[in-house]
Amino acid sequence: MYGLHNLGVPRVSQDQLDARRKEILTGARTCFARHGYEGATVRRLEEEIGLSRGAIFHHFRDKDSLFLAVAEDDAATMVATVAQHGLVQVMRDLLSSAAGAAEPDVTGWLGSQLEVSRRLRTDPEFATRWAARSEAVAAATRERLQRQLEAGVLRADVPIGVLAQFLELAYDGLVLHLATGRPPQDLEAVLNLVEAAVRRT
Amino acid sequence: MYGLHNLGVPRVSQDQLDARRKEILTGARTCFARHGYEGATVRRLEEEIGLSRGAIFHHFRDKDSLFLAVAEDDAATMVATVAQHGLVQVMRDLLSSAAGAAEPDVTGWLGSQLEVSRRLRTDPEFATRWAARSEAVAAATRERLQRQLEAGVLRADVPIGVLAQFLELAYDGLVLHLATGRPPQDLEAVLNLVEAAVRRT
């Protein structure tokens, strides 16, 4: 016996599902960054995303799953960029997009980074679930540094783990600086200094 | 004619006033860090400080003045340490106190730093009032670097302003790292790298 969805109603394609999912994540990212996790009510999520709660929670089990999906999506993008261009390039991209913007992008990616930081601080269960994703970025950073060491462009007198943590410290500092709306000042020259500090001299 | 307070009632000494003010700031710092600015209600402030609202707001005009006084107190302490020992030493102190603690000190100084960051992001009026205090720490950092340059221990090929911003970036990164409860890992070695990056080689 045929189900209802086969009575001439076209099946939704995977592409359409993916596009819808991406649309939900984009709106949710803005909403979480603007109002914080607790402040992002279902009503506000509906308004920002432009879909009903039924449509949203057809794709994501609950608000917590939605938040985690936004954060995972960000982490995946970052892992890809780090693997290809390195963490310093991620910082340069972040800086140039912040310098070009009329006001700090606290409702997009930066805001979502800070909201992840806040939940790490206030929600131990989230911190546990997040640990694995956070480690993926660190691993991508270490792997790229290893390749640079083999190519002879990295300093060899400091362990790779320390160099990776140094870059992560600079990255965290940049996120806090930009997300709090402080001006970019000479940060481009600062990033040159960060890069030089891990290179073979 | 004598006022009531001269009829044998002892005047409160400046020392007592200072001690009371300090007591209020300590409790308020914990309360703001634990609950955030909005969450630190007058009732919670009374409980944390151990004084009535009448006693608290005899010393501070309102909650906003109290928050600003906590933040200024922190900034003044930091300026004094930076002037004497440098920003890297502030970071080392921060790291060793975090490494020794059973759990991240998010209700004390670190938490108040993050709460200042959050208000900078969400409250433009506060950001304006705060700019001058923030500049004091930056100025102390630049002055110390200038003395180190004259003493011949600082690298001379990068402008002092850039070196100061590099140290501030590392400081912000450390605050975000520790305040989100991440483990100290090899951060001591990372700080050595930060210090080496600004020194004459």
Side-chain angles (χ1 to χ4, degrees):
Chain A
M1 189 179 154
Y2 291 111
L4 251 180
H5 60 275
N6 279 336
L7 292 173
V9 181
R11 299 284 291 270
V12 180
S13 74
Q14 189 59 45
D15 281 357
Q16 286 171 302
L17 278 176
D18 290 350
R20 176 53 58 95
R21 195 184 142 90
K22 200 176 165 189
E23 184 186 343
I24 294 172
L25 289 180
T26 301
R29 175 178 294 111
T30 304
C31 193
F32 286 130
R34 180 171 287 152
H35 302 290
Y37 180 77
E38 281 80 14
T41 57
V42 171
R43 179 179 290 269
R44 281 176 170 158
L45 284 165
E46 287 181 316
E47 282 169 12
E48 195 70 60
I49 297 169
L51 291 173
S52 72
R53 61 194 70 197
I56 297 169
F57 295 111
H58 174 70
H59 293 264
F60 299 93
R61 203 184 53 196
D62 50 25
K63 193 171 93 169
D64 199 50
S65 303
L66 183 55
F67 180 80
L68 206 66
V70 167
E72 278 174 1
D73 194 48
D74 288 346
T77 304
M78 194 165 149
V79 166
T81 312
V82 166
Q84 205 173 352
H85 304 291
L87 194 50
V88 174
Q89 190 56 46
V90 172
M91 291 190 248
R92 290 196 195 282
D93 292 348
L94 203 52
L95 182 59
S96 64
S97 71
E103 53 184 58
D105 165 37
V106 294
T107 56
W109 191 82
L110 275 177
S112 115
Q113 291 282 296
L114 268 202
E115 189 55 20
V116 166
S117 297
R118 205 186 62 74
R119 285 198 74 198
L120 284 175
R121 183 161 71 102
T122 55
D123 182 345
E125 202 186 319
F126 174 76
T128 306
R129 293 179 69 183
W130 186 247
R133 280 81 183 181
S134 171
E135 175 51 28
V137 174
T141 303
R142 284 194 305 270
E143 276 163 32
R144 187 175 150 86
L145 288 175
Q146 181 62 43
R147 289 198 304 276
Q148 289 189 304
L149 180 69
E150 285 157 13
V153 293
L154 204 71
R155 68 190 291 169
D157 59 335
V158 175
I160 277 188
V162 173
L163 295 179
Q165 286 172 55
F166 169 78
L167 293 180
E168 285 157 27
L169 192 79
Y171 170 78
D172 281 336
L174 189 67
V175 166
L176 191 55
H177 183 110
L178 296 177
T180 50
R182 282 177 267 165
Q185 300 175 301
D186 303 319
L187 283 177
E188 214 174 300
V190 170
L191 291 184
N192 291 341
L193 200 57
V194 168
E195 188 159 37
V198 302
R199 284 189 172 271
R200 174 190 294 269
T201 49
Chain B
M1 187 180 152
Y2 292 111
L4 250 182
H5 59 276
N6 279 335
L7 293 172
V9 180
R11 300 283 293 269
V12 180
S13 74
Q14 188 59 45
D15 280 0
Q16 286 172 303
L17 279 175
D18 290 350
R20 175 54 57 94
R21 195 184 142 89
K22 201 176 165 189
E23 184 186 344
I24 294 172
L25 289 179
T26 302
R29 176 177 293 111
T30 305
C31 194
F32 285 129
R34 179 172 287 152
H35 302 290
Y37 180 78
E38 281 79 16
T41 58
V42 171
R43 179 179 290 270
R44 280 176 171 157
L45 284 165
E46 287 181 316
E47 281 169 12
E48 195 70 61
I49 296 169
L51 292 173
S52 72
R53 61 193 70 196
I56 297 169
F57 294 111
H58 174 70
H59 293 265
F60 298 93
R61 203 184 55 197
D62 50 24
K63 193 171 94 168
D64 199 48
S65 302
L66 183 56
F67 180 80
L68 206 65
V70 166
E72 278 174 2
D73 194 48
D74 289 347
T77 304
M78 195 165 149
V79 165
T81 311
V82 166
Q84 205 175 352
H85 305 291
L87 194 50
V88 174
Q89 189 58 45
V90 172
M91 290 190 248
R92 289 196 197 283
D93 292 348
L94 202 53
L95 182 59
S96 64
S97 71
E103 54 185 57
D105 165 37
V106 293
T107 57
W109 192 81
L110 274 177
S112 114
Q113 290 282 296
L114 267 203
E115 189 56 20
V116 166
S117 298
R118 205 185 61 74
R119 285 199 73 198
L120 284 175
R121 183 162 69 103
T122 56
D123 182 346
E125 203 186 318
F126 174 77
T128 306
R129 293 180 68 183
W130 185 246
R133 283 80 183 181
S134 172
E135 175 50 29
V137 173
T141 303
R142 285 194 305 270
E143 277 164 31
R144 188 178 150 85
L145 288 174
Q146 182 63 43
R147 290 197 304 276
Q148 289 190 304
L149 180 68
E150 285 157 15
V153 293
L154 204 72
R155 67 189 294 169
D157 60 335
V158 175
I160 278 188
V162 173
L163 295 180
Q165 286 173 54
F166 170 78
L167 293 180
E168 284 157 28
L169 192 79
Y171 170 78
D172 281 336
L174 189 66
V175 166
L176 190 56
H177 183 110
L178 295 178
T180 49
R182 281 177 268 165
Q185 301 175 300
D186 304 318
L187 283 178
E188 214 174 299
V190 170
L191 292 185
N192 291 340
L193 199 57
V194 168
E195 189 160 36
V198 301
R199 285 190 171 269
R200 176 190 293 270
T201 49

